[in-house]
Amino acid sequence: MAFACFAKAFGGAYMKSAITQIERRFDIPSSHSGAIDGSFEMGNLLVIAFVSYFGSKFHRPRLIGAGCLVMAAGSFITALPHFFQDLYKYETSVSVGTGSNKSLHILPCVSNSSLSGADGAPDIEAIKACEKAIGSSMWIYVFLGNMLRGIGETPIMPLGLSYLDDFASEENTPFYIAIVQTVGIIGPIGGFLLGSYLSKIYVDVGFVDLDEVTITYKDSRWVGAWWLGFIVTGLIITLSSIPFWFLPKSIRKEGEDRRENAGKGEAAVAEQESFLSEEKEEEKEEEQVTCMEMAKDMGPSLKRLFSNKVYMLLVLTSLIAVNGFIGMITFKPKYMEQVFGQASSRAIFLIGIMNLPAVALGIIGGGLLLKKMKLGVVGAARLAMTSSILSCCLLILQAFIRCNQAEVAGLTVSYQGVPEISFSNQTLLSQCNSGCSCSLKQWDPVCAHNGMTYVSPCLAGCQSSSGASKDLVYHNCSCIGELMTPSPNMSVVLGQCPRKDDCNRMFKVYMALSVTGSFISAFGGTSSYIVLLRSIEADLKSFALGMQTLIVRTLGGIPPPIYFGALIDQTCLKWGTKQCGGVGACRLYDSHAFRLRFMGLVSGLYVLANVTWGALYTQIVKKQKRLAQADGVAANGVACDGAAANGAAANGHAMITVGLDADMIEKESTI
């Protein structure tokens, strides 16, 4: 179970880390890449209700093994587009030759009608023909492959956790769940580290001469070898499926005699029918429970489940919190890249080696505390709510940690270096480049020695160049002289300028808050599972976990990447241009607007989740008090019955018995 959780989490985390690379490779906006990410939950939605309900009646380990194989197939399909597409071509003003003087003496600032003509009205038919030729719609395969991964992942958690809870002792269940979750957390660590490594390897490695590639992995146009990771994850998930085919349908419950175990299983629920010790009895029971009977029982089971107030509040709380978490983790690497100027590979790497280990320590620590303190439902709920409130406070603090906006002439600052200008394409033109016939759609950033970034060498007013490939340098750039503090060096080099030193200091503060918040939030993770498992009837465990997964993934897994992506797209300052024309992926965002909208939405969702946690905790405490009062009444009733019997026998009177019906205990007593 732990290996399967590792494998599925490994694949899921790699998808998260590869979202930016997929977005750039297929030239799609963040809302589209969010839809790709959400397709995993769409696959879950298709089958989760049936798998969680009917799956508990059959051989659970084999269903989990089959699901792992489906997941592996989805990973392989996701990687397929790479082998059917043309080589990746990024926007650049550098035309590479084949001779020894390639990239030499390029004249970017010239009167060239073909450049300005590129900004004219597009030919729709030509664009469609071009997109068909280069396979621009191949991202649909990534969408479908990820959806297939979601279908295959469905049986692992609801069937696996219920199987574990059925055959483990009650006091060890929290610890075992914590172990499974912690080993599962190692999967995302590996997935993010693999994503960080592959994002530094060029997408068409082995098919192109890397010396001719003029961009580096720090460039917003760079695309890493995203496809290779899905092949690796497919192989790992395939391996994880093998052990499940050799597990039995049932095992002896931990700490109990086989005969006692069989008796309890027979009296409990249909999913625990496997407690029967004799094979003939087990086969007979399976024959008696038909699919039609199970289907008829599904409606009443749903009614029982949804009439449980604690369960419904817990699902609502999880739904709101997952909305914030999914939106945050999907675009966290992009947030770190745009707000703090970190390379995409470094952002993914830091999440893998800092945030995820903190989450693992938090989960195992919370599980150990539950085991040591032997906390009940109220104690577990109190622990989960406290960790949620503290992590929310740290999350709100993160929203105030920021760096200065990247200085890009014509977008975030004027050509004179004055900030807060009006963001529009018209500002890209200035007196210094008015005679250059520059394309306003092209994104080929260059960096001046004074820290100013220009959208392209042409828009920097550069007159000549020297060098080749990544060492190309443009000279006599007239726009550098327009700055309020002009630089004596009128040359620029390829790529965006790095952020200032104070940004690194602010980024360290942000990471410290992020890691601490991750640990505290995860510390209460196991408690939430315990509250769920202890608040529902035994025969509804698998079904309850499955329905929670269905609801949370439907409304908490599919929409957030899409509406978070659409919100982020609104902060874009410079869109890229597709190979066939038209708007591509965003190259530069307004980092202040990005931070305020992104962190504001995440913080708001977590605050709302804490409000519902308060309501949930209140409901649990009330229910616990009612149960305690009922136990007290029952105990008093037994004592009074004994005294009345003795008195009646002594006095010769008829004995009156007060019968306390379990269903009526909170309403009235019957004589």
Side-chain angles (χ1 to χ4, degrees):
M1 179 65 184
F3 186 27
C5 287
F6 166 84
K8 81 177 184 66
F10 183 89
Y14 181 75
M15 170 58 79
K16 296 288 184 187
S17 70
I19 279 293
T20 301
Q21 311 300 323
I22 292 172
E23 182 178 315
R24 294 173 181 174
R25 180 63 182 94
F26 297 100
D27 268 323
I28 54 178
S30 296
S31 56
H32 283 42
S33 61
I36 290 175
D37 186 69
S39 64
F40 180 88
E41 315 301 341
M42 296 177 193
N44 262 268
L45 170 63
L46 295 175
V47 295
I48 183 80
F50 300 100
V51 168
S52 60
Y53 184 73
F54 292 107
S56 63
K57 320 296 180 183
F58 300 108
H59 200 300
R60 286 177 283 183
R62 290 181 184 173
L63 285 176
I64 295 172
C68 289
L69 290 179
V70 174
M71 264 202 301
S75 295
F76 294 134
I77 291 174
T78 303
L80 274 182
H82 173 75
F83 301 98
F84 296 111
Q85 277 189 304
D86 291 338
L87 298 179
Y88 174 58
K89 294 180 181 179
Y90 52 88
E91 301 170 75
T92 180
S93 57
V94 179
S95 51
V96 181
T98 56
S100 59
N101 292 327
K102 56 188 177 182
S103 302
L104 188 62
H105 301 308
I106 297 170
L107 304 176
C109 183
V110 293
S111 179
N112 189 335
S113 59
S114 64
L115 287 176
S116 58
D119 292 339
D123 185 343
I124 303 300
E125 294 299 325
I127 289 176
K128 288 183 178 180
C130 176
E131 289 180 345
K132 185 176 181 181
I134 66 172
S136 294
S137 59
M138 295 292 285
W139 63 270
I140 296 295
Y141 285 92
V142 181
F143 181 93
L144 295 176
N146 202 35
M147 181 182 288
L148 198 60
R149 283 183 55 247
I151 294 174
E153 191 265 353
T154 304
I156 295 178
M157 293 306 288
L159 300 187
L161 287 181
S162 64
Y163 188 86
L164 182 64
D165 188 57
D166 285 345
F167 302 115
S169 64
E170 186 172 334
E171 67 172 7
N172 285 337
T173 298
F175 185 56
Y176 290 154
I177 292 176
I179 289 176
V180 169
Q181 290 182 324
T182 303
V183 175
I185 284 295
I186 300 175
I189 294 174
F192 274 97
L193 292 180
L194 179 65
S196 174
Y197 174 73
L198 293 179
S199 65
K200 292 183 180 180
I201 300 175
Y202 191 63
V203 60
D204 293 318
V205 60
F207 298 95
V208 298
D209 183 1
L210 297 181
D211 291 334
E212 295 182 359
V213 179
T214 60
I215 58 176
T216 66
Y217 67 89
K218 297 180 180 179
D219 197 291
S220 61
R221 295 164 293 171
W222 176 274
V223 176
W226 62 274
W227 54 274
L228 190 55
F230 288 106
I231 295 177
V232 174
T233 58
L235 293 174
I236 292 176
I237 295 172
T238 301
L239 288 176
S240 73
S241 72
I242 297 174
F244 285 102
W245 298 100
F246 300 97
L247 283 175
K249 184 177 181 181
S250 65
I251 55 178
R252 186 172 62 179
K253 189 172 180 66
E254 188 178 35
E256 290 189 3
D257 182 75
R258 183 184 298 270
R259 184 173 55 189
E260 294 176 359
N261 184 42
K264 289 184 179 180
E266 188 176 2
V269 294
E271 75 175 41
Q272 292 174 334
E273 65 186 6
S274 53
F275 275 55
L276 297 173
S277 57
E278 296 182 7
E279 186 176 352
K280 291 183 180 180
E281 291 179 345
E282 182 177 317
E283 293 175 355
K284 182 180 179 181
E285 184 73 18
E286 287 178 356
E287 291 173 0
Q288 292 175 352
V289 182
T290 65
C291 290
M292 186 62 68
E293 290 173 346
M294 288 189 291
K296 288 180 180 179
D297 188 49
M298 190 173 184
S301 297
L302 274 172
K303 184 177 180 180
R304 289 168 56 202
L305 198 59
F306 290 148
S307 62
N308 188 326
K309 292 181 181 179
V310 173
Y311 175 76
M312 292 306 297
L313 278 172
L314 187 60
V315 169
L316 179 62
T317 303
S318 302
L319 175 61
I320 298 170
V322 167
N323 264 264
F325 174 76
I326 293 295
M328 180 177 64
I329 197 64
T330 301
F331 296 106
K332 189 179 182 73
K334 179 175 285 189
Y335 179 83
M336 295 163 67
E337 181 182 359
Q338 294 296 328
V339 176
F340 298 101
Q342 302 297 311
S344 178
S345 59
R346 186 166 190 262
I348 296 168
F349 177 77
L350 290 175
I351 292 173
I353 66 166
M354 296 184 71
N355 287 85
L356 296 180
V359 170
L361 291 175
I363 290 175
I364 195 70
L368 286 172
L369 182 65
L370 284 170
K371 178 178 171 62
K372 185 176 181 180
M373 302 292 292
K374 297 183 179 179
L375 297 177
V377 176
V378 176
R382 188 183 296 118
L383 176 62
M385 185 177 67
T386 303
S387 67
S388 179
I389 293 173
L390 291 176
S391 62
C392 181
C393 293
L394 292 177
L395 188 65
I396 294 173
L397 287 177
Q398 293 175 39
F400 296 96
I401 309 300
R402 66 182 183 90
C403 291
N404 291 328
Q405 188 96 265
E407 295 183 350
V408 182
L411 290 178
T412 63
V413 296
S414 68
Y415 278 85
Q416 290 74 38
V418 180
E420 297 181 0
I421 63 173
S422 176
F423 300 140
S424 68
N425 272 341
Q426 311 308 335
T427 60
L428 291 175
L429 295 177
S430 180
Q431 203 170 22
C432 61
N433 57 31
S434 57
C436 294
S437 299
C438 301
S439 171
L440 302 182
K441 294 183 178 180
Q442 193 175 62
W443 174 258
D444 189 18
V446 290
C447 176
H449 287 273
N450 54 13
M452 177 69 78
T453 299
Y454 296 90
V455 172
S456 69
C458 181
L459 289 170
C462 300
Q463 305 295 326
S464 61
S465 65
S466 63
S469 188
K470 296 183 179 69
D471 298 324
L472 186 64
V473 179
Y474 294 93
H475 306 287
N476 301 322
C477 303
S478 57
C479 290
I480 297 178
E482 283 201 358
L483 289 170
M484 297 177 67
T485 55
S487 172
N489 191 328
M490 304 292 284
S491 301
V492 295
V493 295
L494 294 175
Q496 274 185 261
C497 296
R499 298 290 182 91
K500 296 179 180 178
D501 293 338
D502 62 334
C503 191
N504 286 329
R505 185 176 69 253
M506 298 305 294
F507 180 65
K508 291 176 182 177
V509 175
Y510 167 79
M511 284 303 299
L513 290 172
S514 178
V515 171
T516 306
S518 299
F519 173 80
I520 295 174
S521 178
F523 199 82
T526 307
S527 305
S528 301
Y529 269 110
I530 297 304
V531 172
L532 175 62
L533 291 171
R534 299 292 178 259
S535 300
I536 54 178
E537 291 88 343
D539 62 323
L540 294 177
K541 283 180 186 176
S542 292
F543 193 40
L545 286 169
M547 289 307 299
Q548 184 206 30
T549 305
L550 170 65
I551 296 169
V552 170
R553 285 192 163 171
T554 302
L555 301 176
I558 299 173
I562 299 173
Y563 67 73
F564 267 87
L567 186 72
I568 291 170
D569 283 339
Q570 293 177 7
T571 67
C572 184
L573 297 179
K574 185 70 178 75
W575 290 97
T577 304
K578 292 183 179 180
Q579 183 179 340
C580 299
V583 177
C586 185
R587 304 304 186 192
L588 181 70
Y589 294 87
D590 178 358
S591 63
H592 291 337
F594 191 146
R595 175 179 55 85
L596 291 174
R597 296 187 185 190
F598 180 75
M599 293 303 297
L601 182 55
V602 172
S603 301
L605 288 169
Y606 272 94
V607 168
L608 184 58
N610 280 295
V611 172
T612 56
W613 251 123
L616 172 62
Y617 179 73
T618 302
Q619 188 68 30
I620 290 173
V621 171
K622 287 182 179 179
K623 187 174 182 180
Q624 195 72 11
K625 286 182 178 179
R626 288 198 302 268
L627 291 174
Q629 290 173 357
D631 290 341
V633 171
N636 291 334
V638 171
C640 290
D641 285 350
N646 292 334
N651 299 326
H653 294 166
M655 185 176 67
I656 301 176
T657 303
V658 179
L660 296 174
D661 186 22
D663 295 333
M664 304 294 293
I665 199 163
E666 296 180 11
K667 299 179 182 179
E668 59 179 326
S669 298
T670 57
I671 300 179

